[in-house]
Amino acid sequence: MTAKSAAAAARATVYGYPRQGAHRELKKAIEGYWKGRVTADALKAVATELRRANWQSLASAGIHEVPTGDFSYYDHVLDTSVMVGAIPERHRAAVDADVLDGYFAMARGTQDVAPLEMTKWFDTNYHYLVPELGPDTEFIANSAKQVGELKEALALGLTARPVLVGPVTYLLLSKPAPGVAADFDPLTLLDRLLPVYASVLADLRAAGAEWVQLDEPALVQDRTPAELNAAARSYRDLGALTDRPKLLVASYFDRLGDALPVLAKAPVEGLALDFTESAAANLDALAAVGGLPGKRLVAGVVNGRNIWINDLQKSLTTLGTLLGLADRVDVAASCSLLHVPLDASAERDIEPQILRWLAFAKQKTAEIVTLAKGLAQGTDTITAELAANRADLASRAASPITRDPAVRARTEAVTDTDGRRSQPYTERAAAQRTHLGLPLLPTTTIGSFPQTGELRTARADLRAGRIDTAGYEERIKAEIQEVISFQEKTGIDVLVHGEPERNDMVQYFAEQLTGYLATQHGWVQSYGTRYVRPPILAGDISRPEPMTVRWTSYANSLTEKPVKGMLTGPVTMLAWSFVRDDQPLGDTARQVALALRDEVNDLEVAGTSVIQVDEPALRETLPLRAADRAGYLAWATEAFRLTTAGVRPDTQIHTHMCYAEFGDIVQAIDDLDADVISLEAARSHMQVARELAAHGYPREAGPGVYDIHSPRVPSTTEAAALLRKGLEAIPAERLWVNPDCGLKTRGWPETRESLENLVAAAHRVRGELPAS
């Protein structure tokens, strides 16, 4: 096909769409089902309606081929485990008894059975459930979900393309099941898995699929020759099938590198590639392999992970270059639109001019359609759209919101000394032991306590004017009193105030910093039914006044025990926001760090002796390619030290991280120079404690003994067993006892019992320690 005919054939598509509904209907229905207020049939009806609404909205907007199979009750990787029959043995009885309840048991666990481990989906803030595999794993095809959703879309008269997690990515994201040797490589199961994919593909073809998309984002990471060979073999074998739809192999989040020629040579009908800034190298690499003659190329030119409008002219230039490299060029976002909110037009509190800089899923869909139209029919058919886009881009570039001379002057004046504590850790640790007087194996929590319905109602009443500020603050005071009283009675050593005043660990601070914008409806799925509203970092950052000192000081006034000041760190403030894309991330991180430094110093002046600066996003923001990591870790660790280095030696700095693979950033954790770090460890059975020990980590650490993302209550015996595992790696004088993460999403009854068991476990294991 000529470049001209390739352009004429251009179509618009997306890889996935937000699942929750305009009013988070899916979240409400699922949580209602868990509480027994919604029946299974009612839940399924809500899900069916949400899928229908999404597909019809996409089609009405001009999307020519809608995705199916991207919808999920909890997680698309868990859906894939169900599709290939990889059900952990401990959950098999529950799945056999009731498919839906068994599905949720794998995700959340039960009182008697632990859930699957959860970790970050590449470098996003979405979490997936890690498949557990072993040498005895037997796969069996179960295409009911995938076929059923395809048939729903086809029945609406739509052109639909099922989307599956590809077999190589599925295995590379898996881990050895409990009891399986740690060095077991799930990729050795490829020959067992491919026939299952072949069966699913045949079922989808029989159901009417012309194309099926197989997502292989794991191939954008550094891969060994054996892993690249597995990819080549997978698509050689799947491509050789006679009873299958056409195959579109998709990658996103970064450049494909050595995997691109492997996929370009594979006997599949199409590739979907990311051509946004982070993956721009894909264009030259595609040209270097001779393009995709005779194949379909889906070009991801609209960024599916940020909320800024696309530069339409720049994207059209990229698309024009691609026309000569494939038989057909279609237009898409760079990845699933799962990672952005649904509709910017729903925001009523953002200034209209600024709103024109923003593109959520609905607006990105319109951009994709516009680009496909311009590519297929010529730019003269989208003259008005191009003119409006140029004006909006210029408006943002010239806005005074984006530049504050005072902030920039302060940032430029930072020196290396500003990022160093006044004494080394060994001297600080001695001063802190004297100052705080804590026992061995001190107990604490990560920060938040349950956000009850009453708290959420009080916050909503304040916004609606049903109560005044004084009434709201009395409610917050009462909650802090309850949280402090409970912790004292339970015997926790380092307390927290529970964060009842905070709506979200990032949004709360963003609303008090200049340069940030808050949304009312910008919900994005983090995991399961947990949705967050990432703020929008649009301009230079400063802190007009203290943000946390008042409530932390009030909590301190209620107890003689130390109360931690709780802040969200600069990297996480960036990672869990939609960040400006008009300057280097390191520059923005330094601005945020200086604003937080002011808060840390004010907390210390107010009498706070323990200050926690959470950085759960440090690992998730790690670049996918090793070659890009040193630069990132340099500015990320500098930003943390800049935040925390201004305090006295006897002020103890904590940090916290959760739900990521920490092994490859242990040196960066060390470089933070925090006095204490708490980390998720319960689901991974203290793996991170072993990793810290192997590195020779010299500071204090609290690997979690209570998995807070499950409703189950760990027994004292269970927590004590995990604590003993921790002691195998970390000596008692440096080991803390804490949950995996904050308790915001848990209820009070399970929180009380779990923390009581945690403290009892600490006392039990303390009693087992040799006398000093």
Side-chain angles (χ1 to χ4, degrees):
M1 185 181 287
T2 66
K4 184 175 181 180
S5 57
R11 297 290 184 267
T13 190
V14 297
Y15 307 158
Y17 208 65
R19 301 161 177 164
Q20 68 268 25
H23 304 289
R24 292 182 293 158
E25 294 92 336
L26 184 62
K27 168 187 172 70
K28 295 168 186 175
I30 292 173
E31 292 180 350
Y33 176 73
W34 292 342
K35 294 174 181 176
R37 297 198 298 256
V38 173
T39 66
D41 286 344
L43 171 57
K44 292 172 184 176
V46 169
T48 299
E49 174 56 25
L50 288 173
R51 290 193 294 268
R52 182 202 63 77
N54 278 352
W55 292 328
Q56 292 191 327
S57 174
L58 288 168
S60 298
I63 294 295
H64 300 97
E65 185 182 49
V66 301
T68 66
D70 61 303
F71 178 89
S72 180
Y73 284 118
Y74 205 96
D75 167 49
H76 57 277
V77 180
L78 178 59
D79 296 342
T80 307
S81 292
V82 173
M83 182 187 81
V84 301
I87 309 299
E89 189 60 37
R90 66 185 182 279
H91 288 290
R92 192 166 296 280
V95 172
D96 289 344
D98 186 284
V99 171
L100 189 59
D101 287 345
Y103 176 90
F104 287 130
M106 287 189 285
R108 306 172 69 230
T110 66
Q111 184 54 42
D112 300 317
V113 183
L116 292 168
E117 182 180 339
M118 186 166 65
T119 195
K120 298 294 175 69
W121 174 250
F122 298 92
D123 57 349
T124 75
N125 189 36
Y126 178 81
H127 302 66
Y128 74 93
L129 290 156
V130 182
E132 296 177 355
L133 306 176
D136 297 330
T137 298
E138 295 293 339
F139 298 111
I140 184 169
N142 176 5
S143 63
K145 175 186 185 296
Q146 291 71 26
V147 168
E149 292 177 13
L150 172 64
K151 288 182 174 179
E152 288 177 22
L154 295 177
L156 295 171
L158 304 175
T159 301
R161 182 186 71 254
V163 178
L164 311 177
V165 175
V168 180
T169 290
Y170 179 76
L171 292 175
L172 289 172
L173 294 181
S174 301
K175 66 176 293 182
V180 173
D183 61 354
F184 171 74
D185 182 2
L187 204 58
T188 59
L189 300 175
L190 183 63
D191 288 338
R192 293 186 209 171
L193 183 62
L194 289 177
V196 173
Y197 270 80
S199 177
V200 172
L201 291 172
D203 291 346
L204 289 169
R205 183 191 184 203
E210 179 185 2
W211 286 86
V212 168
Q213 177 176 320
L214 292 159
D215 284 358
E216 294 287 7
L219 297 181
V220 306
Q221 296 173 298
D222 298 313
R223 289 299 165 199
T224 65
E227 291 165 342
L228 293 173
N229 181 62
R233 190 155 51 89
S234 295
Y235 289 101
R236 179 199 67 200
D237 292 358
L238 294 177
L241 298 170
T242 56
D243 186 15
R244 67 167 178 82
K246 297 175 184 177
L247 300 181
L248 177 71
V249 182
S251 71
Y252 37 82
F253 299 149
D254 211 320
R255 58 196 183 274
L256 264 176
D258 292 339
L260 182 53
V262 172
L263 295 180
K265 294 174 186 175
V268 298
E269 287 73 23
L271 294 185
L273 303 179
D274 185 346
F275 291 102
T276 56
E277 185 174 346
S278 64
N282 276 338
L283 197 156
D284 290 339
L286 186 61
V289 300
L292 301 174
K295 294 186 179 182
R296 176 188 186 186
L297 172 64
V298 179
V301 293
V302 172
N303 195 313
R305 295 180 58 179
N306 75 18
I307 45 68
W308 303 109
I309 57 172
N310 182 261
D311 185 333
L312 296 181
Q313 188 59 61
K314 183 178 179 181
S315 292
L316 284 169
T317 299
T318 299
L319 291 166
T321 304
L322 293 171
L323 285 177
L325 297 177
D327 188 59
R328 166 182 162 190
V329 177
D330 290 338
V331 184
S334 60
C335 61
S336 170
L337 296 177
L338 170 73
H339 305 290
V340 295
L342 186 59
D343 184 6
S345 69
E347 300 302 328
R348 298 287 183 259
D349 296 336
I350 296 177
E351 182 183 331
Q353 182 56 55
I354 296 176
L355 200 60
R356 292 186 62 82
W357 307 345
L358 308 181
F360 294 177
K362 186 174 181 179
Q363 289 71 38
K364 288 182 183 293
T365 300
E367 291 177 336
I368 293 165
V369 171
T370 295
L371 289 167
K373 181 180 178 182
L375 189 62
Q377 301 176 29
T379 56
D380 57 336
T381 64
I382 57 169
T383 302
E385 290 92 335
L386 290 174
N389 180 248
R390 283 193 297 270
D392 292 338
L393 291 169
S395 166
R396 181 184 171 208
S399 172
I401 292 174
T402 63
R403 296 184 69 85
D404 182 331
V407 170
R408 290 179 178 256
R410 185 184 181 194
T411 304
E412 290 168 5
V414 169
T415 66
D416 290 343
T417 304
D418 294 322
R420 290 198 296 267
R421 297 285 294 270
S422 62
Q423 291 184 3
Y425 168 71
T426 52
E427 296 178 21
R428 302 196 310 261
Q432 290 160 19
R433 280 193 291 272
T434 300
H435 183 54
L436 296 173
L438 299 173
L440 287 176
L441 308 180
T443 55
T444 190
T445 64
I446 302 305
S448 62
F449 264 66
Q451 285 267 326
T452 62
E454 291 82 359
L455 277 175
R456 289 190 290 270
T457 298
R459 198 173 291 126
D461 287 346
L462 177 66
R463 287 196 303 269
R466 290 187 289 268
I467 60 174
D468 59 14
T469 300
Y472 174 72
E473 291 180 349
E474 285 303 312
R475 180 69 188 88
I476 296 300
K477 284 183 177 180
E479 187 70 20
I480 292 173
Q481 290 168 10
E482 181 178 356
V483 168
I484 293 293
S485 175
F486 165 74
Q487 291 173 94
E488 287 198 311
K489 290 176 182 175
T490 304
I492 293 173
D493 298 305
V494 176
L495 313 187
V496 298
H497 79 288
E499 305 176 12
E501 79 285 7
R502 303 186 189 184
N503 45 17
D504 175 82
M505 67 180 291
V506 172
Q507 184 183 351
Y508 177 78
F509 294 98
E511 290 174 346
Q512 300 181 74
L513 295 169
T514 64
Y516 269 103
L517 305 174
T519 69
Q520 294 300 313
H521 306 286
W523 298 102
V524 177
Q525 187 180 19
S526 178
Y527 64 87
T529 61
R530 169 73 169 145
Y531 288 83
V532 295
R533 280 184 297 166
I536 298 168
L537 200 164
D540 288 346
I541 300 298
S542 63
R543 185 202 70 149
E545 59 186 14
M547 301 178 287
T548 66
V549 173
R550 177 189 178 190
W551 293 120
T552 305
S553 297
Y554 176 69
N556 265 313
S557 73
L558 301 174
T559 179
E560 295 300 315
K561 289 188 172 184
V563 177
K564 285 194 285 190
M566 301 297 307
L567 306 176
T568 301
V571 176
T572 301
M573 287 296 297
L574 267 60
W576 293 0
S577 303
F578 291 115
V579 183
R580 62 189 303 177
D581 58 357
D582 58 348
Q583 69 179 21
L585 278 174
D587 293 354
T588 306
R590 185 173 285 192
Q591 292 181 3
V592 176
L594 287 170
L596 294 173
R597 182 186 180 97
D598 293 341
E599 187 72 13
V600 168
N601 293 345
D602 283 349
L603 281 168
E604 183 184 61
V605 168
T608 304
S609 298
V610 182
I611 301 171
Q612 182 169 307
V613 180
D614 289 344
E615 282 292 21
L618 182 69
R619 172 59 181 84
E620 82 181 41
T621 316
L622 188 72
L624 299 176
R625 293 279 182 180
D628 303 328
R629 292 176 179 174
Y632 158 73
L633 290 172
W635 66 253
T637 54
E638 180 213 41
F640 182 90
R641 293 193 303 272
L642 187 58
T643 300
T644 58
V647 298
R648 299 187 310 267
D650 63 354
T651 295
Q652 191 172 71
I653 296 293
H654 289 226
T655 190
H656 169 67
M657 299 179 190
C658 58
Y659 295 95
E661 300 294 333
F662 301 110
D664 48 5
I665 62 162
V666 174
Q667 181 58 54
I669 292 173
D670 199 347
D671 291 343
L672 296 177
D673 197 26
D675 300 306
V676 182
I677 183 168
S678 54
L679 304 113
E680 173 272 325
R683 288 196 187 188
S684 60
H685 308 288
M686 288 287 159
Q687 176 180 331
V688 71
R690 296 187 290 274
E691 291 168 344
L692 291 174
H695 174 77
Y697 185 74
R699 300 175 189 82
E700 299 176 41
V705 297
Y706 163 24
D707 172 18
I708 66 88
H709 288 291
S710 170
R712 64 187 300 273
V713 174
S715 67
T716 298
T717 298
E718 180 183 343
L722 280 173
L723 189 50
R724 293 186 193 101
K725 277 192 175 182
L727 282 168
E728 293 172 6
I730 301 170
E733 61 269 18
R734 291 196 283 111
L735 187 65
W736 284 65
V737 186
N738 46 259
D740 275 344
C741 202
L743 299 163
K744 176 180 178 179
T745 60
R746 299 270 55 92
W748 261 109
E750 70 208 63
T751 295
R752 286 192 181 93
E753 186 176 356
S754 296
L755 291 180
E756 287 166 355
N757 291 349
L758 180 149
V759 171
H763 282 285
R764 180 181 297 180
V765 177
R766 276 179 203 156
E768 298 167 0
L769 297 173
S772 57

